[in-house]
Amino acid sequence: MGSSTMVGAERKKKTKGIVVLIVLGLLIITAFIISMNTGFTKLSPLEVLRTLFGSGTPKQELILFEFRLPRIVIAVLIGAGLALSGCILQGVSRNALADPGILGINAGAGLMVMLFVSFFPTTTAAPIFLLPILALIGASFAAFLIYILSYKKGEGILPTRMLLTGIGIAAGISSAMIVLTLRLSPEKYQFVATWLAGSIWGSNWKFVWALLPFILVLVPLVLAKARVLNVLNLGDQTASGLGAPVECERMILLAAAAVLAGACVSVSGGIGFVGLIGPHLARRLVGPKHQFLLPASALVGSLLVLVADTLGRVILQPSEIPAGILVAILGAPYFLYLLSRTK
């Protein structure tokens, strides 16, 4: 009787998880359609439909295909990437406050972006495809520092130590970035200021193609590690007892989180809190099992960034509010709320 009850409960959780994923997918499609119709130049749903099927005017094609669609696609990709990165970090460290922005991984990527901007134009094709690589080098270096400084033999990675180490590294890198801004020309300083605010600046198809390979390779890899994350959540000793190569798997997952965050930050700017909010909201919807938590986090992150970017283009037309600012308006109070509940 007890066994059948457990099987029924598991089946119910699985059904609920699938339903939640479908609903989130439909919400993203809805937000995608609304975003295509939203902007300073109005396009009605019928005009958007005609343009998609090749019957629009040259102006409508330019607005939809060259300005709006690449930006919408990038918002979806970076939302998924940042939320997955945060979900991995929370699972590996068993720290509910872990996030690539809070821990300094985004800052490491940002430092490399700033160095890149200082020496290269951002409009030529080759540097655009180099940008994610340089950003992930910076993010990986920051993640390596956090791991080394927060790891203690016999204790592993303690959540509090990891959080404080990450905050310290983020503060140090941010200070270095401020010093670097003093050497920038006014035009490049304006770009950096916009980037730091979390504006999706890489809004053309070249940036989509530069980011897409990282997403296509790493997202399936991370989803395949769902069972490993479930085991790591039990603690290092239990995971080792179950036969999991803890340190090896942890390094692989941390590397994946750093690369995802770095690649996304290279085109999204300094958008923070997506990696914090996405996994937490997903956990409330589908529970702690990573088989559903990882894809749900990705979908929630995509929806969050897409909605924030769309609202940012609408609220103060013709000016724009960077998506990072709108996400931070939600994220900062939520972070403080979580901090107050953490023992």
Side-chain angles (χ1 to χ4, degrees):
M1 187 74 176
S3 176
S4 62
T5 303
M6 288 179 63
V7 170
E10 285 296 319
R11 190 173 297 164
K12 188 177 291 186
K13 286 180 182 178
K14 186 176 180 179
T15 303
K16 179 186 175 183
I18 293 171
V19 170
V20 168
L21 293 179
I22 292 172
V23 171
L24 287 172
L26 291 174
L27 287 174
I28 290 173
I29 292 170
T30 303
F32 199 104
I33 294 169
I34 292 172
S35 191
M36 284 194 296
N37 290 276
T38 302
F40 180 68
T41 302
K42 303 294 182 184
L43 293 179
S44 68
L46 185 58
E47 288 172 334
V48 169
L49 194 61
R50 286 176 178 170
T51 306
L52 286 173
F53 285 97
S55 301
T57 65
K59 181 181 178 182
Q60 290 170 345
E61 290 180 357
L62 178 68
I63 292 170
L64 188 61
F65 291 116
E66 298 302 323
F67 295 124
R68 290 188 188 169
L69 273 178
R71 182 164 177 166
I72 294 168
V73 171
I74 285 174
V76 170
L77 293 178
I78 63 176
L82 290 173
L84 274 178
S85 179
C87 190
I88 295 167
L89 291 172
Q90 289 174 19
V92 167
S93 66
R94 303 194 305 278
N95 184 349
L97 301 176
D99 166 73
I102 296 168
L103 293 181
I105 294 175
N106 287 2
L111 181 61
M112 292 301 291
V113 170
M114 185 172 289
L115 290 170
F116 170 84
V117 170
S118 301
F119 295 102
F120 293 97
T122 58
T123 55
T124 56
I128 284 175
F129 286 94
L130 282 174
L131 195 57
I133 297 173
L134 294 171
L136 70 87
I137 290 172
S140 300
F141 179 69
F144 175 75
L145 278 180
I146 294 165
Y147 182 83
I148 293 297
L149 295 175
S150 60
Y151 180 82
K152 193 170 183 180
K153 192 172 181 180
E155 296 180 359
I157 297 179
L158 295 179
T160 304
R161 187 188 295 132
M162 183 179 183
L163 181 65
L164 294 176
T165 301
I167 290 172
I169 289 173
I173 294 175
S174 298
S175 299
M177 291 170 69
I178 291 171
V179 173
L180 279 174
T181 58
L182 301 176
R183 301 176 56 87
L184 297 176
S185 65
E187 294 80 12
K188 289 182 177 179
Y189 178 81
Q190 181 63 38
F191 165 80
V192 168
T194 304
W195 184 91
L196 289 173
S199 176
I200 301 177
W201 64 276
S203 54
N204 65 55
W205 290 110
K206 289 177 182 177
F207 290 93
V208 174
W209 299 125
L211 177 61
L212 196 58
F214 296 96
I215 300 295
L216 291 178
V217 170
L218 289 171
V219 169
L221 171 66
V222 170
L223 294 178
K225 294 289 183 181
R227 293 185 183 278
V228 174
L229 282 166
N230 288 338
V231 173
L232 289 178
N233 270 345
L234 300 174
D236 289 3
Q237 290 184 346
T238 305
S240 298
L242 292 172
V246 175
E247 291 307 318
C248 179
E249 293 290 357
R250 182 181 281 125
M251 290 297 292
I252 292 171
L253 288 164
L254 281 175
V259 173
L260 275 172
C264 292
V265 165
S266 68
V267 296
S268 72
I271 297 180
F273 295 111
V274 177
L276 178 72
I277 299 174
H280 273 276
L281 293 179
R283 195 173 288 110
R284 288 177 177 271
L285 292 171
V286 299
K289 283 197 173 181
H290 286 84
Q291 285 88 341
F292 289 106
L293 180 59
L294 287 167
S297 297
L299 292 175
V300 171
S302 293
L303 183 62
L304 181 64
V305 176
L306 180 56
V307 170
D309 186 56
T310 304
L311 289 175
R313 289 190 278 123
V314 172
I315 294 174
L316 293 179
Q317 287 184 358
S319 300
E320 290 188 8
I321 301 174
I325 291 177
L326 290 174
V327 173
I329 290 172
L330 294 173
Y334 194 64
F335 174 71
L336 294 174
Y337 165 73
L338 290 174
L339 195 63
S340 69
R341 295 193 60 181
T342 302
K343 295 182 181 179

